[in-house]
Amino acid sequence: MRYYSLNRQSPAVSFREAVVQGQAPDGGLYFPESIPRLPESFWQRIEDLDDAEIAWRIMAPYVGADFSETVLRRILEETLSFPLPVVPVTERISVLELFHGPTLAFKDVGARFMSRCLSHFARGLERRVVVLVATSGDTGGAVANSFFGVPGTEVVVLYPSGKVSAVQERQIAALGGNVHALKVAGDFDACQALVKKAFADAELRSRVYLTSANSINVARWLPQQLYYALAWKQWPQKEAPPVVSVPSGNFGNIGAGLLLQRSGLPVPQFVAACNANDAVPRFLETGVLPRRASVATLSNAMDVADPSNFVRLLALFQNDPAQLREVLAATRTSDAETRATIRRVAAETGYVLDPHTAVAWQGLEQVLAPGQHGLVLSTAHPVKFPEVVAEETGAPVPCPAIVEDLMKASLQPRHLEAAYEPLRALLSELA
């Protein structure tokens, strides 16, 4: 498999080169030159396969000869070392729980896959790899945890000051070692702009082996397909596929779902459930992607005004919004509606939603037709947002032991203005 830049000004590269570079030299995101098609028998008999075999069949075409079968299977087994259960909540709505990994967020899957890929590739490099990532919440913790202590790597995580939860901040800034946490005076888009500027800095990249761990990196983006395949394996009514609702911020997760749909996943409709940061719903309504500052919400990991991965969704549908609208609905949910959804679902079913999952639940309800069933992706454990969840459910969120230990740790962030030169200096020091 070869990967080309969506800006089409850089040469095509291998999977290995795409992972190590993170972003193409022309600033574009890498995209596979072809999309593998899995046979109908794979989907019809998926219940007969174990999770590792499903993962291997999906991912093997994307890595080509850059891994042996033995190495890829080992990486995938380590990536899927925790459960991803589908939990029925009502007669019509089930939840895919993606928060059972080490940082209690869906991004553990992609981060674990990428860290193991990069660790394998770094053995052949003469310099340390510097992993640079901006986060609106959960990405930073997942990346920090997955790369902590990995030989040959330094990790730099930028996160917006005052806009991540206490648990999220400790998962980013309490590790130390090869993990460098930068607390930026600005929002997520300011963090992401600094990261993009570093990747566009040709002189810096001539001295620093710089790669990304955001979902712009194919090693973070592609394994997210596995959520949807393993959910389909568990889905009890194969003759009635669900409408799948995904909390959407930077659009990597739902982009992976639509990619797998192109590979044959028999799910006809997706919902990109957004909060007040509704650039994509506006695009589907008007054909124009608005440019404006992000808005702070209760579902902070989705507070993205300029979703990087949306260009991949367009590429999947030949840059034709009409084709995209046939399979994708996009909704918007306010903080008041998020709170009301947490409160109502807890009262009616006893199931506790975090704010991101509540946005996806409410978005699904906006589009679910009579007789249809839906699947909501739950991307974070409610304990990451204990105040709002406790306020709406009337009960404290039980705290897993891993979080109790984490909350005792001290923070070690560097404070950074939303300016490029201090970041550039740090990256140069780490080379």
Side-chain angles (χ1 to χ4, degrees):
M1 177 72 73
R2 304 285 287 177
Y3 294 82
Y4 69 95
S5 168
L6 289 175
N7 283 351
R8 298 182 181 274
Q9 299 299 313
S10 294
V13 298
S14 67
F15 176 76
R16 179 186 183 280
E17 293 169 310
V19 173
V20 173
Q21 290 184 28
Q23 191 171 340
D26 63 5
L29 301 193
Y30 282 119
F31 196 81
E33 286 190 335
S34 62
I35 297 174
R37 184 78 183 179
L38 292 157
E40 287 188 17
S41 58
F42 172 81
W43 304 106
Q44 293 169 349
R45 303 181 61 184
I46 195 169
E47 294 173 352
D48 298 335
L49 304 174
D50 63 35
D51 292 355
E53 179 66 20
I54 292 168
W56 182 78
R57 294 196 189 185
I58 291 170
M59 293 301 298
Y62 288 101
V63 305
D66 287 313
F67 288 129
S68 68
E69 179 176 339
T70 300
V71 170
L72 179 58
R73 286 185 181 274
R74 174 181 58 78
I75 289 174
L76 290 168
E77 287 173 1
E78 293 175 2
T79 297
L80 297 175
S81 62
F82 48 86
L84 304 173
V86 172
V87 179
V89 179
T90 73
E91 290 184 358
R92 299 181 63 200
I93 299 178
S94 298
V95 172
L96 175 62
E97 293 184 344
L98 300 175
F99 53 70
H100 293 285
T103 70
L104 309 179
F106 78 105
K107 297 180 181 182
D108 283 323
V109 169
R112 287 164 73 85
F113 181 81
M114 181 186 170
S115 68
R116 285 149 177 80
C117 289
L118 200 54
S119 176
H120 183 81
F121 295 148
R123 296 171 193 165
L125 302 176
E126 297 178 354
R127 293 174 287 168
R128 286 179 295 178
V129 175
V130 178
V131 180
L132 178 62
V133 61
T135 184
S136 56
D138 288 328
T139 292
V143 169
N145 178 276
S146 295
F147 281 92
F148 180 57
V150 172
T153 64
E154 300 286 340
V155 184
V156 179
V157 182
L158 286 73
Y159 67 98
S161 177
K163 294 181 172 64
V164 301
S165 74
V167 173
Q168 288 172 325
E169 184 168 23
R170 276 172 170 76
Q171 289 176 332
I172 298 165
L175 291 173
N178 69 324
V179 176
H180 308 271
L182 303 183
K183 190 172 186 175
V184 178
D187 58 15
F188 168 75
D189 291 296
C191 297
Q192 186 163 251
L194 291 174
V195 168
K196 288 180 177 179
K197 194 164 186 178
F199 280 107
D201 188 335
E203 195 281 329
L204 174 69
R205 296 193 71 179
S206 70
R207 296 182 290 106
V208 180
Y209 228 123
L210 200 62
T211 192
S212 171
N214 281 90
S215 53
I216 63 174
N217 193 303
V218 293
R220 266 284 320 279
W221 179 52
L222 294 171
Q224 293 183 106
Q225 296 177 91
L226 304 182
Y227 310 145
Y228 302 91
L230 298 181
W232 180 249
K233 176 184 177 180
Q234 299 172 69
W235 190 251
Q237 299 169 297
K238 298 293 195 291
E239 71 284 357
V243 177
V244 178
S245 183
V246 185
S248 298
N250 218 17
F251 277 70
N253 191 347
I254 196 164
L258 289 167
L259 176 64
L260 192 64
Q261 185 195 54
R262 284 293 201 239
S263 292
L265 175 70
V267 169
Q269 186 178 11
F270 287 80
V271 180
C274 301
N275 56 26
N277 297 281
D278 61 349
V280 172
R282 288 177 181 272
F283 174 85
L284 293 182
E285 292 164 358
T286 68
V288 177
L289 194 66
R291 303 295 181 185
R292 59 182 185 177
S294 63
V295 178
T297 74
L298 297 174
S299 46
N300 66 299
M302 299 156 58
D303 293 347
V304 182
D306 183 16
S308 294
N309 283 289
F310 189 60
V311 293
R312 284 177 167 146
L313 271 70
L314 292 174
L316 282 168
F317 294 89
Q318 291 73 51
N319 293 302
D320 181 356
Q323 289 188 44
L324 182 58
R325 292 188 192 100
E326 290 180 5
V327 299
L328 181 69
T331 61
R332 55 177 67 83
T333 296
S334 68
D335 275 356
E337 291 169 322
T338 300
R339 285 183 175 274
T341 302
I342 294 171
R343 183 168 61 250
R344 173 171 53 85
V345 172
E348 294 177 356
T349 71
Y351 193 85
V352 179
L353 307 171
D354 86 287
H356 304 75
T357 310
V359 169
W361 186 290
Q362 208 273 343
L364 177 66
E365 290 182 325
Q366 290 182 43
V367 304
L368 200 63
Q372 286 186 317
H373 290 77
L375 179 67
V376 170
L377 269 61
S378 183
T379 52
H381 194 291
V383 77
K384 289 194 164 188
F385 310 92
E387 292 84 5
V388 63
V389 173
E391 287 170 5
E392 301 308 326
T393 63
V397 181
C399 192
I402 190 174
V403 174
E404 290 182 355
D405 294 339
L406 182 66
M407 297 308 289
K408 298 172 186 176
S410 60
L411 297 175
Q412 306 175 50
R414 297 190 192 188
H415 293 265
L416 187 74
E417 294 299 319
Y420 179 57
E421 283 307 316
L423 174 62
R424 191 177 196 274
L426 172 62
L427 296 174
S428 297
E429 291 173 12
L430 297 175

